Amino acid sequence: MKRRKIKFGLVGLGRLGYEHTKNLSESIASAELVAICDMNEEALRTTAEEFDIPKTYTDFEEMCKDPEIEAVVIVSPSMFHVNQVKIAMDAGKHVFVEKPLDTSIEKCKECEEIVAAHPELTFSIGFMRRFDKSYKIAKQKIDNGDIGRIILVRSYCQDNKKFIDMAIKFGPHSGGQFLDMCIHDIDTIRWFAGGVEAREMWGIGGCYEYEEYKNWNDGDNVSALIQFEDDTMGFMFAGRAAAHGANIETEIIGTKGTLRIAAVGTDSLLEVLSENGVCRECYPDWQARWHDAYIDELADFADCIITGRKPEVTVQDGTKTLEIAYRCKESFESKKMLKMRD
Ligand code: NAI
C-alpha cells in the first residue's frame, strides 16, 4: 500500500533550516515539502531551485494560509518560535518547532495554552538526540534497569572552531549558550532520569578566546552543575570553538554500571597514519553528527500525524528545559549558585 505523504511548509532557511529542507525533500518517504519561507529572497530562490520546491513565501502568515500545507516546520530564530506556532496552529497546521521552544518562559507558557487549544493537531519540538541510535539504546538500557539508579549524567557539546564566525553572527539571537546549546543536555538528562525537576544549579564559564560573547552576557565556553530533586547530579559543558571539530559526549553513571556515548567522534572509520601518529578525524560539524537523528525526528513527526500517535517530546518539555536553562544562565550572570525556585 502506498504510504500517505504529509505536505509540509518550512520557515527559516539558515544553518539547520537548510538541513531540514534537504531531509524533507530527499530522505523522508512520508513527507513532501511543498513550500518554504524566509525573508532572504536569495536563499529562498536558490533553495527552491535546488530541491524543486514549488512555492516560496517571504511572509510566514501568508504561507500558513495555504490550504495545501498540512504541517509546518519552524526553524527561524528562537525568539520568533511561539508567535509562529500560534499563527500556524490557528491556521490548522501541525507544528514541529526547533529548540529552544522560545527565549522566554512566558512565551513557553503561552505555547502550552496554544497547544492545549488544538488537541486535534500534532505538536513537537526538535530534541533530536532522542532519535540518535546510541542515545536510544542508552535510554532502553536505563529503562531496563541495567545501570541501576542514575547517580550522574555528564554531557559535553562542542562546536567546531572553524565555524566560529557563523556562531558569533548567530550569538545575539541564540538566547545564549545555556538556552541554545545546553538545552539539549538538559533535555537529555531529564529524559534519561525520567523527567526529574532541578533543585539547584551553578552556572560558570567565560570568554576564553572570543570576547564577543561578553557583549550579550554570555561565554564562549560555559558549564553548569545541577542537582535534581531526586539527588541525580547533572554536569554539562558547552563550547563554541573546539580546535578538533564537533564533539558530543554523554556519560551516565549508575549504581550498577556506566553507559558512555563518547567514542563516536567521527563519521567514518578512516584512520590517518602519519608523522603525527594515528589520527581519526572528528565530525566536521553538528550537522554531520546528527544527520540521521534530524531525518528520524521529522520522519517520526510525520508518522505521528498519519497514525494519530502522540509525539514523545511535548510542549511541557520545552517549558521545563527552558526554565532550567534560564536559571543556569542567571547563575552564570550573577556568579551565584541558585535554587531552582526562590
Ligand atoms: P540561522 O540564523 O542560520 O537562520 C535563521 C533563518 O531564518 C535565516 O535564513 C533568516 O533569514 C530566517 N528568518 C529570520 N527571521 C525570519 C522571519 N521572521 N520569517 C522568515 N524567516 C526568517 O539560524 P539556525 O542556526 O538555522 O537556527 C534556527 C533555529 O534552529 C534556532 O531556533 C536554533 O536554536 C535551532 N537550531 C537547532 C539545532 C539542533 O540541533 N536541534 C541546531 C541549530 C539550530
Side-chain angles (χ1 to χ4, degrees), residues 14-16 38 75-78 81 98-99 128 180 184 294:
R15 299 176 309 165
L16 183 59
D38 201 295
V75 211
S76 55
S78 305
H81 287 179
E98 261 312 320
K99 53 51 57 177
M128 77 293 172
D180 185 52
H184 283 299
Y294 286 140

Side-chain angles (χ1 to χ4, degrees), residues 47-334:
T47 314
E49 268 173 27
E50 183 175 354
F51 299 107
D52 203 14
I53 300 161
K55 300 179 195 177
T56 59
Y57 294 88
T58 49
D59 184 320
F60 181 70
E61 210 160 347
E62 279 305 308
M63 182 172 83
C64 289
K65 286 182 190 156
D66 184 336
E68 194 192 7
I69 296 170
E70 300 172 81
V72 168
V73 174
I74 298 174
V75 211
S76 55
S78 305
M79 71 270 197
F80 298 139
H81 287 179
V82 171
N83 286 350
Q84 291 181 334
V85 169
K86 179 161 174 50
I87 291 168
M89 291 193 106
D90 285 351
K93 314 297 181 196
H94 305 283
V95 171
F96 180 94
V97 60
E98 261 312 320
K99 53 51 57 177
L101 180 51
D102 208 285
T103 51
S104 86
I105 294 157
E106 293 70 34
K107 279 281 171 196
C108 292
K109 298 270 185 206
E110 191 186 320
C111 198
E112 290 186 6
E113 287 172 21
I114 299 163
V115 173
H118 294 287
E120 75 289 4
L121 297 174
T122 303
F123 173 89
S124 198
I125 306 171
F127 286 128
M128 77 293 172
R129 282 191 198 175
R130 298 194 190 202
F131 293 87
D132 178 83
K133 195 174 168 195
S134 309
Y135 284 78
K136 274 163 71 174
I137 298 172
K139 171 70 173 160
Q140 279 162 11
K141 289 194 181 300
I142 291 165
D143 289 352
N144 203 31
D146 292 2
I147 62 161
R149 176 182 170 181
I150 296 180
I151 299 169
L152 173 92
V153 183
R154 171 181 72 83
S155 204
Y156 291 177
C157 179
Q158 291 173 285
D159 281 349
N160 192 339
K161 186 177 184 162
K162 221 195 261 169
F163 305 111
I164 188 66
D165 289 346
M166 258 195 265
I168 288 172
K169 206 167 132 213
F170 172 76
H173 67 76
S174 71
Q177 300 280 77
F178 291 102
L179 270 63
D180 185 52
M181 290 180 85
C182 294
I183 199 97
H184 283 299
D185 304 300
I186 295 167
D187 180 64
T188 306
I189 299 170
R190 287 187 71 249
W191 183 51
F192 283 152
V196 287
E197 304 306 330
R199 189 166 65 217
E200 53 196 339
M201 57 273 291
W202 190 23
I204 55 173
C207 292
Y208 298 81
E209 214 172 350
Y210 297 97
E211 295 289 318
E212 290 89 335
Y213 282 85
K214 279 197 180 138
N215 296 336
W216 47 92
N217 283 339
D218 204 4
D220 56 7
N221 286 270
V222 301
S223 66
L225 188 62
I226 305 177
Q227 186 148 38
F228 290 83
E229 290 288 4
D230 68 351
D231 289 343
T232 299
M233 294 180 275
F235 176 69
M236 55 199 190
F237 164 66
R240 283 287 183 200
H244 47 68
N247 188 43
I248 290 98
E249 297 186 14
T250 302
E251 184 174 42
I252 309 113
I253 299 173
T255 51
K256 290 191 199 161
T258 293
L259 301 171
R260 208 174 277 160
I261 309 164
V264 286
T266 178
D267 59 356
S268 83
L269 294 176
L270 182 72
E271 289 180 342
V272 181
L273 282 69
S274 71
E275 72 274 14
N276 298 321
V278 182
C279 176
R280 289 187 74 187
E281 292 175 357
C282 278
Y283 281 104
D285 46 40
W286 45 263
Q287 290 94 326
R289 169 62 185 91
W290 302 112
H291 177 266
D292 293 352
Y294 286 140
I295 293 174
D296 290 349
E297 66 177 356
L298 285 176
D300 182 78
F301 181 70
D303 188 67
C304 283
I305 299 173
I306 292 167
T307 61
R309 177 170 57 85
K310 288 272 172 220
E312 188 185 282
V313 181
T314 65
V315 65
Q316 285 78 17
D317 289 324
T319 310
K320 298 263 186 216
T321 48
L322 197 85
E323 281 176 339
I324 297 173
Y326 233 108
R327 210 60 181 146
C328 291
K329 182 177 160 62
E330 280 171 3
S331 168
F332 166 79
E333 287 175 1
S334 65

